[in-house]
Amino acid sequence: MESIAALQNRVTPWSDGLVPSDAELNAIEAEMPVVLAEVELLDALIVLLDRPASEFDARRIRRAHNRVLAARRDLANRTADSSKSGDAA
């Protein structure tokens, strides 16, 4: 019996370009508060999939939503500040 083996190269060849650059890592780091706030909101919404919302749940969702908005606002302000300082240089 013949063995079945891949006779072709891998579909995705290894490349040094697969490692994120410092700029990409910095962008991820800057967006991390937004991601964490969105995860918290998602967790609050998932809890409601199997039971009706109580006043506590509504408050938790409202606070999580406010954290998402605040994190997005802070990120937008940091991005605007960095672009202004980049233009002045």
Side-chain angles (χ1 to χ4, degrees):
M1 172 177 242
E2 291 183 40
S3 64
I4 301 173
L7 300 176
Q8 301 173 352
N9 291 335
R10 290 184 278 170
V11 175
T12 307
W14 178 254
S15 168
D16 288 335
L18 294 176
V19 177
S21 67
D22 288 340
E24 292 170 330
L25 291 174
N26 289 338
I28 292 169
E29 184 73 25
E31 293 175 4
M32 192 54 65
V34 176
V35 172
L36 294 175
E38 288 175 343
V39 167
E40 185 178 342
L41 176 60
L42 186 60
D43 285 344
L45 293 172
I46 287 173
V47 167
L48 297 179
L49 290 177
D50 30 336
R51 63 183 170 94
S54 66
E55 180 60 33
F56 175 76
D57 294 325
R59 193 175 337 146
R60 181 178 178 203
I61 290 171
R62 196 168 43 249
R63 287 180 181 168
H65 185 68
N66 288 337
R67 285 188 193 104
V68 169
L69 293 176
R72 288 181 183 172
R73 180 199 62 220
D74 293 343
L75 178 62
N77 288 341
R78 276 195 308 265
T79 304
D81 289 343
S82 67
S83 67
K84 285 181 184 178
S85 65
D87 292 339

